[in-house]
Amino acid sequence: MNLEATYTAELMQFVHDHLNEDPAQLLLKQKEIPGLDLKAAAAQIALRQKARQKLPSWFVHPHLIFPPALSVEQCSSERTARYKASLVQGTTLLDLTGGFGVDTVYLGENSKRVTYVERQEELVALARRNLPHFLNSQHCTFVKQDALEFLRETPETYDLLYVDPARRGMGNQKLHRLRDLEPDLVRNWDLLQQKARVIMVKASPMLDISEACRELSGITQVHVLGVKNEVRELLLLADGSGKPLRIVAVEMREGETFSFSFSPEEEALACPTFAYPGKYLIIPYAALLKAGAFKSFSVAQGLAKLHPHTHVYTTDQLPEAVPGRVFEVMEQIRLDKKVLKKRYPEGKVHVISKNHPLKAEAFKKKFRLRDGGTEFLIAATAVDGKPGVWRCRMV
């Protein structure tokens, strides 16, 4: 694949000069430029714009060629890739599912030898061109091959084996169970363990953590990565240490990162207190809820739970640096159309439903509300087993 014939220095300069313009409008306005493929340039601009928030330093890099949109969509963000790199160390890295190469770059920064494996020819060609801008090309090997075929044939073992299985089915449907992915990690787990000292698996946010740890022996860490209160990735780490499983919930926000670590045993043995809503309500970040830190979070943060099955917490003291959203309770409000109409004449209020008979969307539809304004209605079942609604504002 001759990338240089299409992606000339002139084309790359054109892309960089028009990064902030509408690529569709560029195609309409620009006349044909001799020696420059305008459609390819517009596509590159669109792909970079798609990655602006996710890969900020890649977005502005003048020499990178971006792959098709699906690869950009499925690749890790810079921030989550850097987090992965902070968890491991070693001199040899094998990335079995190289793709765009974002994880390869950050995991391989401190490695003396990096092996990138990918079965799609276009992605391998792009990686050969792109990755030397980040990594020492003398220490990188690029292999176009099926991941499992490569593992069966290579005589080497690696310090770190990284794998991000494809999570799209034949009909482009999203998959999340490990045994449904490509490569099938459950069936081939023994083979992976034979080839590396440490294995890191990037998995779907929808994956059942308990089921995954039963299917893959030797998992010692699970990291649930959230960005701006949305779970983006699950990381499964097998380091051969035999240590008990630790689950780490991570929330990444602008300028700060929160984390909460616990074990399944700590969660099982935790004995939280329960209370009716006090002055403040706290809803943990999505990563903590996905991780299953329901009781241990309550105990560690010194917060009371509203109900055994309501993952909303309360306190009369304003909590500091708690990994969750904090709301000040103004009043409990009666669930009545006239009451709500009087309080919100324009129908604007944010609704959060936790263990309540009405889900948030059904709540808004029934009472003709829509998101807006600065107030929140938190609907939840309280310690007395009765559902209630509390009018709040975010702290």
Side-chain angles (χ1 to χ4, degrees):
M1 181 177 290
N2 187 2
L3 295 173
E4 305 305 327
T6 299
Y7 300 100
T8 61
E10 291 76 17
L11 183 145
M12 300 308 294
Q13 185 61 52
F14 181 90
V15 168
H16 201 64
D17 292 343
H18 297 84
L19 268 184
N20 296 312
E21 298 182 39
D22 183 339
Q25 289 299 315
L26 272 176
L27 284 174
L28 290 174
K29 290 190 303 181
Q30 288 284 346
K31 295 181 180 179
E32 185 174 328
I33 302 175
L36 193 149
D37 186 334
L38 271 176
K39 287 187 177 180
Q44 284 296 303
I45 293 169
L47 290 165
R48 282 177 180 258
Q49 290 175 350
K50 189 179 182 70
R52 184 193 298 262
Q53 301 299 322
K54 192 175 188 179
L55 302 167
S57 63
W58 295 53
F59 166 73
V60 298
H61 197 293
H63 303 301
L64 302 183
I65 301 173
F66 277 60
L70 184 60
S71 293
V72 175
E73 176 188 325
Q74 293 182 339
C75 75
S76 298
S77 67
E78 273 185 60
R79 195 163 188 185
T80 58
R82 289 186 186 279
Y83 179 83
K84 295 184 189 80
S86 73
L87 301 177
V88 292
Q89 57 185 354
T91 60
T92 57
L93 163 69
L94 170 62
D95 187 342
L96 266 189
T97 47
F100 189 17
V102 175
D103 286 317
T104 317
V105 165
Y106 295 104
L107 287 169
E109 278 183 331
N110 297 317
S111 298
K112 293 182 178 178
R113 189 159 49 85
V114 175
T115 303
Y116 165 106
V117 178
E118 170 60 53
R119 63 184 180 181
Q120 295 186 48
E121 183 177 359
E122 181 181 6
L123 293 178
V124 177
L126 290 174
R128 287 183 189 275
R129 187 186 187 282
N130 289 336
L131 269 57
H133 290 295
F134 298 97
L135 301 171
N136 187 331
S137 58
Q138 295 179 342
H139 299 157
C140 293
T141 301
F142 299 93
V143 181
K144 179 195 172 297
Q145 192 174 7
D146 174 80
L148 295 177
E149 285 181 3
F150 177 86
L151 274 188
R152 294 187 186 104
E153 293 176 7
T154 182
E156 298 190 50
T157 56
Y158 298 83
D159 292 330
L160 172 64
L161 185 159
Y162 176 73
V163 58
D164 176 9
R167 295 189 291 276
R168 295 278 183 170
M170 296 297 291
N172 203 36
Q173 74 273 27
K174 293 184 179 181
L175 305 173
H176 58 270
R177 294 200 322 161
L178 293 176
R179 62 177 64 254
D180 296 332
L181 309 183
E182 178 64 37
D184 180 346
L185 299 185
V186 178
R187 180 175 295 180
N188 295 283
W189 188 241
D190 288 345
L191 175 62
L192 271 69
Q193 289 180 306
Q194 293 166 15
K195 297 297 182 178
R197 181 175 60 83
V198 176
I199 301 171
M200 179 183 287
V201 178
K202 175 182 170 182
S204 164
M206 299 298 294
L207 181 69
D208 184 304
I209 294 174
S210 298
E211 180 182 0
C213 291
R214 287 193 297 270
E215 290 180 325
L216 303 182
S217 62
I219 299 294
T220 53
Q221 298 176 43
V222 174
H223 295 255
V224 184
L225 304 189
V227 178
K228 296 181 181 179
N229 205 31
E230 180 183 347
V231 179
R232 297 291 179 84
E233 299 178 17
L234 295 188
L235 301 178
L236 310 175
L237 203 62
D239 61 14
S241 67
K243 293 179 180 179
L245 175 65
R246 296 295 297 180
I247 302 175
V248 184
V250 180
E251 166 65 14
M252 301 177 181
R253 305 184 83 75
E254 293 296 335
E256 58 186 346
T257 297
F258 299 90
S259 65
F260 183 82
S261 173
F262 67 103
S263 71
E265 290 74 22
E266 289 168 353
E267 175 65 21
L269 296 173
C271 295
T273 57
F274 297 93
Y276 207 71
K279 188 173 182 180
Y280 299 99
L281 291 178
I282 297 93
I283 300 178
Y285 291 132
L288 280 93
L289 297 175
K290 173 63 184 179
F294 306 131
K295 298 187 296 180
S296 50
F297 173 83
S298 175
V299 172
Q301 298 293 323
L303 305 172
K305 250 178 148 271
L306 294 196
H307 182 274
H309 303 301
T310 302
H311 307 314
V312 180
Y313 304 79
T314 189
T315 179
D316 287 327
Q317 301 297 320
L318 181 62
E320 295 184 7
V322 66
R325 292 181 291 169
V326 180
F327 301 86
E328 182 179 3
V329 177
M330 293 184 282
E331 63 173 338
Q332 183 172 3
I333 195 167
R334 189 157 55 92
L335 204 54
D336 178 88
K337 288 183 178 180
K338 292 182 179 179
V339 171
L340 291 172
K341 181 66 176 177
K342 183 178 180 180
R343 176 63 68 184
Y344 305 105
E346 296 182 359
K348 289 185 178 181
V349 64
H350 301 281
V351 177
I352 298 174
S353 177
K354 297 287 184 180
N355 190 29
H356 188 276
L358 280 177
K359 301 298 182 185
E361 289 305 316
F363 190 113
K364 287 186 285 188
K365 183 177 181 180
K366 181 175 181 178
F367 297 101
R368 297 182 180 179
L369 301 171
R370 65 184 189 277
D371 289 334
T374 59
E375 293 190 1
F376 290 77
L377 293 177
I378 298 181
T381 298
V383 66
D384 59 4
K386 297 179 180 179
V389 179
W390 288 266
R391 175 175 160 247
C392 305
R393 59 185 168 210
M394 187 177 287
V395 176

